[in-house]
Amino acid sequence: MNLLQKFKETVSSVVPIMAIVLILGLTIAPLGAGTLLRFGIGGLMLIVGLTIFLQGVDIGILPIGERSGAALTAKRNLPLLLGVAFAIGIMVTIAEPDVQVLASQIKGVAPGVNKWALVFMIAFGVGLFVMLGLLRTMLSLNLKWVLIISYVLLFVLAFLSPKEFQGIAFDAGGATTGPMTVPFIMALGVGVAAVRSAGKKSASNSDSFGLTGIASIGPIAAVCVYGIILKSMNNSSAAQDIAQTAEHSLSVLPSSLSLSIFAKLFPSVIKEVSLALLPLIVMFVIFQIFLLKMPPVQVRRMIRGLVFSFIGLVIFLVGVNGGFMPAGEQLGQVLGEYANSGSRLWSILLVAVSLVFGAVVVCAEPAVWVLTEQVESVSGGTIKRKVMLASLSVGVAISVGLSMIRILCKFSLWYILVPGYALALILTFFCPPLFTGIAFDSGGVASGPMTSTFILSFMLGVASTCGGNSATDAFGVIALVAMTPLIAIQILGIIFKIKSSEAKK
């Protein structure tokens, strides 16, 4: 177990975020001693929890996915593989904590939305596109064309859906690719690709990535369809609730909470994480009996990894919800009030702070560390982790900065999404297939729990003080976070391709 190394990596990722917030909270944006104390405690819990979680993923979650994918593919039964993949996608998504949190947030601003109908629609979308992603791998379909066709159809659905559901729909794509879903889906894809390639390393590398990127399209389409259904039923209450309730949803500041918030959060977080792990445990037991039949030593190792993942994720989510999210929301409100005073200097400062947060926060996402480790391993060290992290940081920084500019200037989300995705899809014609798969996987994992909590709460805080609709203006930031790495990583791939050609010459 390389626990110490993971601890060092986590500290180096989280401490910069804490330092920035503490500096701002003690100087130009006073947050109060209670909020800063909770933020410090939450940061320590985040470091410990993330370290334990990543260790558990390495020894428990990833092996289950890889062995399951390899064993199912070895059966040479395509309907069985696709059927099980569809079921896995649905079960894991329903239990994903990020999906439950997002559905609750949407329900809070739109009582007309049925929470469980929304959750099942999202889960169905993920299951359908996981199945499509594995079918692409098995049939060696070109990832580029699968993505292009899927996104064209997706944007048609998005334009047909109600305006109030568009930002939420694209945010759902980021919420589904959480700390439990991503490792399992990625490992499943790697296992399938490894068996299908029959020892051909290049084919395995090219097909090992892209499944998470394809899977994240499903929930976006599903929420758009749900919005269209509500619209066709003349049920406009959801949209009205979003427009009316959002203006008052942040009226109570979280600073009134005491340190007891951490103790109060544990029962609900334990329940959420238990639900997240239960489908994986059930699937592991079924697969072990009928498919994997691993020796007791390996079973005990995977059980130990699941226990580590459970403990780590509980500590991580309690720290985020008890310390990071309240501090982010209040910091956004304080800085938003300054910018709303009419000073252009404060607006520029607010955008600069957003850029820094975007660059730093992505490095604290659990799934990002899982992705970069796996990329470095599968690529045989050709693609270094540090280069991947730097590219992701630049992309996410730009996306968060653009989100802040959108809130301050109050322009449509489509002005960024349409040209951004168009550029990302055009780059697929020039980028090596391996980097295209990595890029679209990166978009999903960059928008994980840290982004969904700290960054989204920060944007909600700013939007609530700038005179706009806090929900419709702030929702969409996760979508932009998921979009910009698609461009950044593919540009990295093109540069890598050029340098490789020059080296050969």
Side-chain angles (χ1 to χ4, degrees):
M1 291 186 184
N2 198 8
L3 197 62
L4 180 60
Q5 180 63 30
K6 293 188 183 299
F7 177 76
K8 291 179 179 178
E9 293 173 348
T10 306
V11 169
S12 65
S13 301
V14 178
V15 168
I17 304 172
M18 298 180 64
I20 295 169
V21 174
L22 290 174
I23 291 172
L24 292 174
L26 292 171
T27 54
I28 62 175
L31 298 180
T35 300
L36 290 176
L37 179 60
R38 287 199 310 276
F39 181 74
I41 294 174
L44 293 176
M45 295 180 68
L46 190 151
I47 291 172
V48 174
L50 185 57
T51 302
I52 298 174
F53 169 79
L54 290 174
Q55 186 66 28
V57 167
D58 275 358
I59 66 177
I61 305 297
L62 292 181
I64 293 176
E66 290 176 357
R67 290 175 182 271
S68 300
L72 285 169
T73 309
K75 293 286 185 180
R76 304 297 179 186
N77 188 330
L78 185 59
L80 174 65
L81 171 64
L82 299 180
V84 172
F86 179 71
I88 288 174
I90 290 179
M91 287 190 291
V92 174
T93 305
I94 290 175
E96 175 64 55
D98 288 355
V99 173
Q100 298 291 337
V101 170
L102 179 67
S104 297
Q105 289 175 338
I106 296 171
K107 179 70 175 177
V109 299
V113 173
N114 185 298
K115 175 183 175 180
W116 284 107
L118 183 63
V119 169
F120 279 110
M121 285 292 290
I122 292 174
F124 181 85
V126 173
L128 184 64
F129 274 76
V130 167
M131 184 172 66
L132 175 63
L134 290 181
L135 180 64
R136 179 202 74 84
T137 302
M138 295 298 296
L139 300 181
S140 298
L141 300 177
N142 192 307
L143 176 62
K144 171 178 62 183
W145 290 109
V146 172
L147 290 172
I148 290 174
I149 294 172
S150 298
Y151 272 105
V152 168
L153 295 176
L154 175 63
F155 272 91
V156 171
L157 284 175
F159 279 114
L160 293 176
S161 67
K163 173 185 173 183
E164 293 77 13
F165 278 87
Q166 292 169 354
I168 293 172
F170 279 89
D171 282 353
T176 52
T177 49
M180 280 297 164
T181 309
V182 167
F184 200 90
I185 288 179
M186 285 183 61
L188 183 66
V190 170
V192 171
V195 173
R196 191 202 64 80
S197 63
K200 297 179 181 179
K201 184 177 179 181
S202 60
S204 177
N205 282 349
S206 299
D207 291 335
S208 295
F209 300 98
L211 182 58
T212 303
I214 293 175
S216 63
I217 299 173
I220 306 174
V223 175
C224 290
V225 170
Y226 182 66
I228 293 171
I229 292 173
L230 289 181
K231 182 180 179 180
S232 65
M233 295 171 61
N234 295 321
N235 183 358
S236 61
S237 61
Q240 292 174 352
D241 289 335
I242 291 177
Q244 297 172 1
T245 311
E247 298 178 1
H248 309 286
S249 60
L250 299 175
S251 58
V252 180
L253 288 176
S255 58
S256 60
L257 299 174
S258 66
L259 291 178
S260 62
I261 184 63
F262 293 104
K264 293 178 181 178
L265 281 171
F266 267 104
S268 61
V269 171
I270 289 174
K271 181 180 179 180
E272 289 179 355
V273 176
S274 298
L275 289 173
L277 279 174
L278 183 59
L280 296 180
I281 295 172
V282 172
M283 285 187 292
F284 172 63
V285 171
I286 294 174
F287 286 175
Q288 170 63 14
I289 295 174
F290 298 103
L291 189 67
L292 302 178
K293 299 178 181 179
M294 294 180 296
V297 174
Q298 293 180 349
V299 172
R300 286 194 295 267
R301 178 180 174 84
M302 291 188 180
I303 291 175
R304 187 166 66 250
L306 290 169
V307 172
F308 278 12
S309 299
F310 175 85
I311 296 172
L313 196 54
V314 167
I315 298 173
F316 173 83
L317 290 177
V318 169
V320 166
N321 290 305
F324 265 62
M325 191 158 59
E329 186 174 316
Q330 190 172 347
L331 181 65
Q333 288 178 329
V334 174
L335 292 176
E337 288 176 358
Y338 294 156
N340 200 38
S341 65
S343 172
R344 181 171 295 181
L345 180 62
W346 279 110
S347 297
I348 294 173
L349 177 63
L350 193 54
V351 174
V353 170
S354 302
L355 289 169
V356 174
F357 277 143
V360 176
V361 166
V362 68
C363 294
E365 291 288 4
V368 168
W369 289 99
V370 175
L371 173 73
T372 53
E373 276 190 8
Q374 202 168 16
V375 167
E376 192 171 43
S377 173
V378 173
S379 65
T382 303
I383 305 172
K384 300 296 183 183
R385 165 186 277 188
K386 292 182 179 179
V387 177
M388 277 281 296
L389 286 174
S391 301
L392 286 173
S393 293
V394 171
V396 174
I398 293 174
S399 67
V400 177
L402 287 173
S403 297
M404 183 57 67
I405 294 173
R406 187 174 75 89
I407 291 174
L408 296 175
C409 299
K410 297 179 175 59
F411 58 83
S412 173
L413 179 66
W414 293 116
Y415 292 163
I416 307 174
L417 278 183
V418 172
Y421 273 104
L423 177 59
L425 293 175
I426 289 172
L427 288 174
T428 62
F429 289 94
F430 306 97
C431 180
L434 175 61
F435 277 86
T436 296
I438 293 171
F440 279 84
D441 281 352
S442 301
V445 303
S447 52
M450 279 295 294
T451 305
S452 302
T453 54
F454 184 81
I455 294 296
L456 181 56
S457 62
F458 178 67
M459 293 296 174
L460 283 168
V462 174
S464 67
T465 59
C466 288
N469 186 313
S470 59
T472 54
D473 288 347
F475 278 113
V477 60
I478 303 176
L480 297 185
V481 168
M483 180 193 71
T484 47
L486 311 184
I487 301 171
I489 299 298
Q490 288 194 99
I491 292 175
L492 177 66
I494 294 172
I495 295 173
F496 177 82
K497 180 181 179 181
I498 294 172
K499 289 186 175 182
S500 297
S501 299
E502 291 177 351
K504 289 180 181 179
K505 291 179 181 179

